[in-house]
Amino acid sequence: VIRLVETARRHDLSMPEPETPLVERPWEDVARMLSVDDALRIVLDAVHPLAPVVVPLLEAVGLVAAEPVVADQAIPPFTNSAMDGYAVRASDTLGASVPHPVRLRVVGQLAAGYASRVEISSGTAARIMTGAPLPDGADAVVRFEETDEPERAAAGTTGDTRRSCVGIVRAAKPYDNVRPPGEDVAPGDAIVRAGARLRPAEIGLLAAINRATVAVHPRPRVAILSTGDEVIDVGSRLQPGQIRNSNSYTLAAMVMRAGGIPVMLGIARDRTDDLTEKLNLARGADLIVTSGGVSLGDYDMVKDVLREQGTIQIWQVRMKPGKPLAFGRIGSTPLLGLPGNPVAAAVSFEVFGIPAMRRMMGHADLEPSTIEATLIERIDNRGQRRHFVRARVARSPGGEWQVATAGQQGAGVLSSLARANGLLVIPEDLEVAEPGMRLPVRMLD
Ligand code: AMP
Ligand code: MG
């Protein structure tokens, strides 16, 4: 490595050949590159929420409702006790205190799950459990703690509670510890709107009104294809010159985490027939994602095949890592062609693929959570591209979010992406990010 670097330095390989004018090297001409925002807009304009499907409740977790749901019944359906205690008439308990308890005759024992058959008249009470229907005649519940029952229990003199008396030691007001029907949801209430994300609470509400299924935008099926003669899959023996297919796995994991279903199409050799055949397997997917073969390398024929199979544009996007990007359609299926370098592929998918998936899933909010953090080191950003820096965000002892790079930023260095919990975004026109600057960080965790 050192020898290579020295050779490069001797020959100054990093300098562009001065005799070639910039306009003839469009890939180096930032003015002719597509901005990240324009590229994202084109991608998002080309995808739409997937047609709704009806799924069992637990398959809807994390998905977006495609129908409004209006309650046709009350939750709770009947008046019930919010506490374990005694159902009483509040007026009977006036003036009750520890030194002067009001004594009531206990006329029944009411457990949750049964209709009440007792009636509370003046001077009586019923022992009642949380969730049990409030008996007729009662208008309040006095908690056990506000009766003499704990005391008697401690003294071992509870006796038969159905025939005994209870001492109330605190006055109750009407409706104390009583849940009226519809306290939570009344008939006609909108409990889920179309476009709402179905989180555990929404799932629970749907169950509470007896819905076993709900219409949602389905999980997108994302076909993932890696390309390259040098790429081999996990489990096979590495020959000289070969590298392991990590991209398919990183991308599939990202798809799963975003709520989609990855469809692994394996690896296509850099040959027209192999690529064509593998792309055929992708028909029926909601999105096709390829990695590799969109850069300027001589052996990259992905672009040519894509152009033959569908309508594809190859872009140079003003971003780092991940400048080359292909986007278009194979048949009617949108295709996102990512660069092969592992981090370029992952970051490009994060920036373009995840928002596209989120639109397909019906999410209104397509952007990741972003925080603003104070940079604690200097980062160069020559080249006028938007730099997504693998970074670690942490709170300072003073409670402020601070951000630093998570290691080497080479487009092939996946381990620094693994160390990162966010992508620090340095704007295109900021040549040097200085310590102390407040900059946005797209959170990965
Ligand atoms: P390409 O965009 O095809 O020119 O590939 C750029 C770099 O990414 C090369 O070093 C490839 O070996 C590497 N690469 C391509 N595909 C994969 C993959 N599926 N997994 C890991 N690295 C890859
Ligand atoms: Mg390649």
Side-chain angles (χ1 to χ4, degrees):
V1 169
I2 289 169
R3 218 180 309 129
L4 276 173
V5 170
E6 281 171 357
T7 311
R9 284 218 185 99
R10 257 202 310 281
H11 296 279
D12 205 2
L13 295 181
S14 59
M15 296 296 287
E17 302 98 281
E19 62 272 20
T20 314
L22 265 186
V23 283
E24 285 177 22
R25 299 169 55 82
W27 54 92
E28 296 293 359
D29 181 1
V30 289
R32 289 172 58 172
M33 287 184 191
L34 198 56
S35 74
V36 174
D37 298 329
D38 285 343
L40 181 60
R41 207 166 300 127
I42 298 171
V43 170
L44 292 179
D45 281 349
V47 297
H48 307 285
L50 300 176
V53 293
V54 174
V55 298
L57 279 194
L58 289 184
E59 285 175 27
V61 180
L63 301 183
V64 173
E67 59 168 342
V69 180
V70 173
D72 59 356
Q73 51 196 273
I75 316 171
F78 51 87
T79 309
N80 68 95
S81 178
M83 289 288 172
D84 292 340
Y86 285 86
V88 298
R89 291 182 169 223
S91 55
D92 280 356
T93 67
L94 268 176
S97 66
V98 175
H100 302 289
V102 168
R103 304 205 68 79
L104 299 172
R105 190 162 56 84
V106 178
V107 295
Q109 169 103 312
L110 305 170
Y114 302 94
S116 151
R117 259 171 277 132
V118 301
E119 196 177 332
I120 305 302
S121 54
S122 191
T124 67
R127 204 165 180 267
I128 191 166
M129 301 301 134
T130 304
L134 195 72
D136 286 344
D139 62 2
V141 171
V142 178
R143 300 185 299 141
F144 283 151
E145 293 85 334
E146 286 160 358
T147 70
D148 62 1
E149 187 176 307
E151 218 175 287
R152 283 187 295 143
T157 57
T158 343
D160 181 351
T161 47
R162 274 165 299 184
R163 294 215 185 94
S164 65
C165 283
V166 65
I168 307 293
V169 300
R170 191 164 147 184
K173 295 189 300 296
Y175 309 114
D176 273 0
N177 302 317
V178 168
R179 297 192 282 221
E183 177 191 56
D184 187 357
V185 173
D189 281 357
I191 60 168
V192 165
R193 53 179 182 78
R197 218 153 39 94
L198 297 172
R199 302 166 305 162
E202 282 80 15
I203 298 294
L205 273 178
L206 289 166
I209 63 156
N210 196 32
R211 286 286 299 253
T213 61
V214 62
V216 294
H217 298 287
R219 298 175 186 280
R221 291 166 48 84
V222 181
I224 297 170
L225 179 61
S226 285
T227 70
D229 283 343
E230 77 280 30
V231 184
I232 62 158
D233 214 339
V234 174
S236 39
R237 209 190 173 87
L238 207 60
Q239 302 296 332
Q242 294 185 326
I243 57 139
R244 200 68 74 185
N245 174 17
S246 61
N247 286 353
S248 290
Y249 294 88
T250 312
L251 294 169
M254 291 174 78
V255 166
M256 291 169 75
R257 212 177 169 196
I261 301 169
V263 181
M264 301 292 258
L265 296 188
I267 303 158
R269 299 286 149 234
D270 286 323
R271 279 198 337 251
T272 314
D273 54 344
D274 196 26
L275 205 52
T276 307
E277 188 185 311
K278 296 267 161 53
L279 279 175
N280 271 329
L281 298 175
R283 295 190 192 257
D286 299 306
L287 175 66
I288 304 170
V289 176
T290 65
S291 82
V294 289
S295 58
L296 298 163
D298 286 343
Y299 296 97
D300 295 337
M301 40 197 62
V302 176
K303 316 182 262 253
D304 305 330
V305 173
L306 294 182
R307 280 195 174 118
E308 227 165 73
Q309 299 268 310
T311 49
I312 296 291
Q313 293 167 287
I314 312 285
W315 297 329
Q316 302 297 315
V317 183
R318 273 182 79 180
M319 66 186 285
K320 184 165 80 174
K323 182 169 57 169
L325 191 77
F327 185 70
R329 283 180 197 286
I330 299 288
S332 60
T333 310
L335 177 142
L336 190 59
L338 308 171
N341 274 309
V343 182
V347 169
S348 303
F349 192 69
E350 173 70 28
V351 172
F352 302 107
I354 301 289
M357 278 182 65
R358 288 182 62 81
R359 167 147 290 171
M360 291 177 177
M361 295 173 76
H363 288 283
D365 184 8
L366 306 180
E367 288 299 307
S369 321
T370 296
I371 63 165
E372 209 170 72
T374 305
L375 185 59
I376 59 170
E377 64 184 291
R378 185 193 149 101
I379 305 173
D380 279 335
N381 186 35
R382 285 189 218 99
Q384 299 171 47
R385 290 193 268 155
R386 191 175 297 180
H387 193 173
F388 295 94
V389 181
R390 281 147 271 173
R392 274 212 76 80
V393 168
R395 276 208 196 271
S396 71
E400 170 197 53
W401 289 115
Q402 295 187 328
V403 59
T405 57
Q408 267 213 58
Q409 298 292 319
V413 181
L414 193 55
S415 52
S416 55
L417 186 58
R419 270 192 295 275
N421 60 1
L423 294 173
L424 165 68
V425 186
I426 303 182
E428 294 78 336
D429 52 6
L430 186 61
E431 216 166 277
V432 182
E434 301 279 6
M437 279 185 162
R438 304 272 296 160
L439 288 167
V441 183
R442 293 167 68 114
M443 297 311 293
L444 297 170
D445 290 347

